[in-house]
Each structure stands twice: as structure tokens, then as C-alpha cells.
Amino acid sequence: MLTYKNTLLLFVTALSLAGCSGKLDEPQPDTSIDLDHVQPQQLPLLLQGAYKPDGVYYQSYPVWDIYSDDIVSIQGGTPTQFNPIGYDACNPTVEDGFGNGRTINSAYKSIGNANFIINYIRSKKLSDMQPLLGEALTIRAYQYTRLVETYGGVILTLETETDINKIRRDKNTEAEVYASIVADLTEAIPLLKDFTTSNAACKQTAQLLLARVYLQLGKHQEAGDLAQQVISSGKFSLVNSNYGQVFQFGSTSREMMWRGVDGPLSNNFNRYGMYSFYSPAAPFKGNSPGLTWISDELVKLYEPTDIRSQLLRRQRNAVTGQEVTYLLKFSTDTLQSTSSTYAIYPYIRYSEALLIAAEASARKGVVDVTYYNQLRTARKAGTKSNGDFADAAAFLKELENERRREFVGEGRRWQDMRRFGTAIPFLAAKGKDATRLYLPFNSTELARNPNLTQNKGY
């Protein structure tokens, strides 16, 4: 006999499959439960299903770092598996079901769970579950942000409908996806509570995620205003000594606003070695082959006193024989002396609020180093005065470099390159054009949904 908990877990799995675009052509599983048979007290467990990457999110996490100019990789792989060297060349294959395919799979699984929660609370008019509704809206917005940044337009599925004749269709436009993201976050912000833990979405999480989206969309005033609200909340602070503690699993740092947690690490941890993907080879955890490292150009941007360099490790690469710099930013690297078996993935950190506020002003022609200096002071790096920059354009270039130093390995660089105008020249240097601003839809997705149009250039 199935226990209450096991029954609900089957329910979570069924809903996850229903929400996954890779499963849009399959009928609704027999183990699913419709809205009328769910009890309100079951929703928090379903929400955990929306948070959990279930051992696949880590495989897509490094994609945009390797694609960009921050990370160099000479690690190969088969066409149907994660092939970092192909992403380093901005030449991903449509067959890749790991780095690429699992981006879309993990996102839609989370979206499926979030959709159920959102529609359940709305249909039942559960006024006492508004914070949970806000969390579900934020999770859905975050996952659609991942998708729109990766593919441009994607299929928007906001309901619990699983009829294949209604869902199997072509993608929505990029503008439509962004509009949905903005709507979700705008609705979520007043519903959410203030920050208490980095393991759950909160009011400030939604505010900063929306600020990130607005900045990318060129809505600088709105982005700056939201970043200012996060800063003025007084809920967060910067570390000024041990930078590595921000990324440790058991950290109490008030810098990490929202993170993903994967674990306990077992067979997949040893088999794939991708939890510590940027680290050197053994004795570091994760069995990394040590074939992926930080570019020398980025390493040179750090000052000797910068505490962020605590997580940079210069070491000889056994394959090439050259000295390269590795990044020890994830908990399986920063917790070398402990028995922790959990890996974390930064989603949003407080320092982004400071840099968004500074950039939003600079985009409007104003040089104001206040927030830039606040971050630099905490990182034990040199500060500047407004007069040190000839104009706003010069300050923007420095902010781009500061974002590289601050967020390396956290999946933001490619979107920064697009926003700062360095992506197209970078692609041209690799013999590619603007079609490579996005990844291709995986061949499995195209086979499952014949109505889905492949992105240009693939």
C-alpha cells in the first residue's frame, strides 16, 4: 500500500512530466491527481517539487559561462551528451541532450509544478496561501527567464491543460515570454514575505529578478528602482573577509539571496563530476577532469588584494602542461575539509542589486560610483571617484568588468555580453553570426513536437 507521502510524490512526478515541454506529446499519466482531489495542505510538498532540480539542473548550469569569454574548456563529449568544447566554440549541437536538452527539461518540470499550484490557489480562492502563490509565480518566472535567455521564444504553458491537441504547437515570441515573466513577478512581489532563507523565494528575490529582466529589456529606470528597494530593505550584507563562505552549503552569509540545492550527492556526483565542473582534477571533489578553467583575460582583471581571488586556484593542467586558473566557487569545492555532500547553485546574490543600481544610472548618462565602491570596499579592491571616469560609457565598461569578476561561474556572463555589446564581436571572432546568440532546440524536442520551429542558424 502506498503511504500518503509516496502517493503525493507520484503526484508530483506526474505533474512534473505534464509540465515538461519534452513530454507535451504524451497523455496525462494515470497517477496524476486533478485539482478537485488535491488538499491545500499538500501544496507545500508540491512546491518542493518545483524547487528540486532532481539531478539534472547541474548539467546545464555551466553552459553560458563556457559559451562566453569567461571560461575556457577543452573537454570533449559525444554529440548526444554534454560537449563543453563545442560550447566554447559557440557551436552547440542539436543532439546534445545534457547541457542543452536538460536546460529545457529541468525548466519545464519546475514550471509544471508551479502551474498547478498557481491555478489551484486561484481556482479555490485560497486567501491564506498568497505567499505560497507568490513563490510559485517567482519560480515560474525564473524558469521562463532561463528559457527565454537560452532560446529566445519558447512555448508558454501557464495552465494545467495536458491535452496534446491544445499544447503541441509552435513557440511564443520572445516578447510574449518576457511579458509573462514581468506579469508573474509584478503579481508575486506584494504577495511574498521578506527574506529569511536563501533556500526559498522571497519579496526581495522577486524584486531583484524583475530588476534583472528590466535591465536586459532596456527599462533602466524600473530596474534601478527595484534594485534600490532591495538595497534599502536592510535584509542583506556583504562579506568582507572569507568570500568562500557565501557559496558554502551551510553558510549563514546574508549575501546569497536565492540558491538551488542539489544533494545528497551520490552516484551522479562521482559519475559525472559536474558539481565541481570548474575545479581542478582530484583530490578536489566531483572527479572533475580539470579541462575547464577561467580565461587569462579575466584573471588579469583581479587586483592582488581582491578577496574574490581566494576562490581562484592556479595549477598545472595535466593534459596541456600549462598553468591555468581554476574556480572554486561551488560548495563541493569550498567545503573541501568537511563531509558535506550537497552542491549549491547561486541564482541571485545581493551584490547584483548594487551593480544593477549603478548600471541603471550609467545607462541614463549618470556616473555614480556609490554602489560600485560599496561592493569594491567589501571585496578589498580599489575604489574610484566619479571623476576617474571620462563619461558614463567608460563607467559602463568598468561595470562590465566588475560583473565579470563578481559573477564568474554563475551563468550571467553571456547575457551581460549581449547587453554591453560584446557578444556579436565575440561571435564574429569565432566565425559565427548573430544566430548563435541563442541555443538550438534539442533534436528530441523537435521530434516530440513537429510544430516547434528550430531557431535560425541550426
Side-chain angles (χ1 to χ4, degrees):
M1 178 181 292
L2 291 174
T3 65
Y4 169 85
K5 182 177 180 181
N6 286 337
T7 302
L8 190 55
L9 289 174
L10 283 174
F11 160 62
V12 170
T13 301
L15 292 175
S16 298
L17 294 176
C20 174
S21 74
K23 302 291 184 179
L24 293 178
D25 55 339
E26 294 185 1
Q28 184 173 346
D30 293 336
T31 51
S32 66
I33 303 175
D34 61 38
L35 289 174
D36 293 333
H37 291 84
V38 179
Q39 297 302 311
Q41 63 268 26
Q42 296 171 334
L43 294 182
L45 183 55
L46 182 55
L47 184 68
Q48 291 307 306
Y51 276 114
K52 285 289 289 182
D54 281 344
V56 295
Y57 183 57
Y58 69 89
Q59 292 179 330
S60 60
Y61 192 88
V63 165
W64 285 124
D65 290 316
I66 300 169
Y67 208 85
S68 75
D69 55 2
D70 274 355
I71 303 294
V72 175
S73 183
I74 60 172
Q75 182 175 334
T78 69
T80 58
Q81 295 182 354
F82 187 41
N83 191 343
I85 197 170
Y87 288 97
D88 190 74
C90 300
N91 191 35
T93 66
V94 297
E95 291 82 13
D96 173 25
F98 284 70
N100 181 12
R102 288 190 171 174
T103 295
I104 202 165
N105 289 341
S106 63
Y108 274 112
K109 176 172 183 177
S110 180
I111 289 166
N113 283 21
N115 282 348
F116 194 98
I117 295 169
I118 292 165
N119 288 286
Y120 183 93
I121 293 175
R122 286 173 173 170
S123 66
K124 303 295 183 182
K125 297 181 173 59
L126 301 178
S127 59
D128 59 335
M129 287 198 163
Q130 295 307 293
L132 193 144
L133 173 60
E135 277 192 79
L137 287 165
T138 303
I139 292 171
R140 183 168 74 180
Y142 174 75
Q143 297 296 355
Y144 270 120
T145 300
R146 288 180 60 213
L147 290 172
V148 77
E149 289 178 348
T150 303
Y151 304 104
V154 293
I155 295 175
L156 271 174
T157 172
L158 306 179
E159 306 298 327
T160 55
E161 177 63 63
T162 57
D163 186 337
I164 61 174
N165 295 317
K166 296 181 180 179
I167 294 180
R168 187 193 288 183
R169 55 178 171 76
D170 201 1
K171 58 198 175 192
N172 292 79
T173 66
E174 186 172 357
E176 289 172 333
V177 178
Y178 271 119
S180 178
I181 292 167
V182 170
D184 277 354
L185 292 173
T186 301
E187 180 181 355
I189 289 170
L191 303 178
L192 288 163
K193 297 179 180 179
D194 286 333
F195 174 85
T196 57
T197 173
S198 60
N199 295 329
C202 67
K203 178 179 180 179
Q204 290 76 28
T205 295
Q207 287 173 325
L208 193 51
L209 181 56
L210 184 53
R212 177 191 286 180
V213 170
Y214 275 145
L215 192 69
Q216 204 69 24
L217 293 175
K219 296 186 176 183
H220 305 128
Q221 183 65 51
E222 294 90 338
D225 289 346
L226 285 163
Q228 292 277 2
Q229 290 177 45
V230 173
I231 295 168
S232 63
S233 72
K235 299 294 181 181
F236 309 98
S237 59
L238 300 169
V239 301
N240 55 19
S241 56
N242 180 11
Y243 182 60
Q245 71 174 282
V246 178
F247 306 95
Q248 293 173 357
F249 171 70
S251 174
T252 58
S253 166
R254 305 289 283 190
E255 272 202 32
M256 189 70 71
M257 293 178 59
W258 198 24
R259 65 183 190 170
V261 179
D262 207 355
L265 310 180
S266 55
N267 291 336
N268 285 345
F269 167 68
N270 292 317
R271 184 181 307 150
Y272 297 114
M274 295 183 68
Y275 292 97
S276 302
F277 190 74
Y278 301 119
S279 71
F284 277 77
K285 297 181 180 180
N287 293 337
S288 169
L291 301 179
T292 302
W293 53 81
I294 301 175
S295 69
D296 288 340
E297 175 194 3
L298 175 53
V299 173
K300 293 175 182 177
L301 293 177
Y302 289 92
E303 296 175 8
T305 59
D306 194 324
I307 64 171
R308 290 172 292 199
S309 62
Q310 294 169 355
L311 299 186
L312 306 183
R313 180 185 176 94
R314 193 75 174 172
Q315 184 171 310
R316 180 180 176 274
N317 178 265
V319 175
T320 66
Q322 66 185 113
E323 293 286 323
V324 297
T325 303
Y326 293 100
L327 177 66
L328 311 182
K329 209 170 197 178
F330 295 90
S331 60
T332 47
D333 294 323
T334 55
L335 291 179
Q336 290 296 306
S337 61
T338 79
S339 60
S340 174
T341 57
Y342 288 83
I344 68 166
Y345 303 92
Y347 293 165
I348 297 177
R349 293 198 291 115
Y350 175 55
S351 55
E352 190 171 1
L354 300 173
L355 292 176
I356 286 179
E359 183 180 338
S361 293
R363 295 287 180 185
K364 295 182 290 182
V366 177
V367 175
D368 185 347
V369 299
T370 303
Y371 293 125
Y372 165 83
N373 280 342
Q374 186 175 333
L375 177 60
R376 298 277 293 174
T377 298
R379 302 300 186 235
K380 300 294 192 292
T383 58
K384 302 282 187 180
S385 66
N386 292 346
D388 288 330
F389 299 97
D391 51 26
F395 186 42
L396 283 169
K397 182 59 182 176
E398 173 55 20
L399 288 174
E400 180 183 8
N401 287 336
E402 187 65 13
R403 289 183 64 92
R404 292 187 71 181
R405 290 183 286 259
E406 181 68 16
F407 301 122
V408 57
E410 298 181 46
R412 299 309 309 156
R413 177 57 182 159
W414 187 248
Q415 305 311 315
D416 287 352
M417 291 180 70
R418 292 179 59 188
R419 193 172 67 257
F420 284 100
T422 52
I424 296 297
F426 180 75
L427 288 171
K430 292 180 176 287
K432 308 299 179 184
D433 58 24
T435 61
R436 296 307 169 96
L437 290 171
Y438 302 102
L439 296 189
F441 288 103
N442 178 259
S443 56
T444 302
E445 296 298 320
L446 296 172
R448 287 169 173 165
N449 182 4
N451 294 323
L452 183 62
T453 302
Q454 179 62 285
N455 282 335
K456 294 181 179 179
Y458 297 99

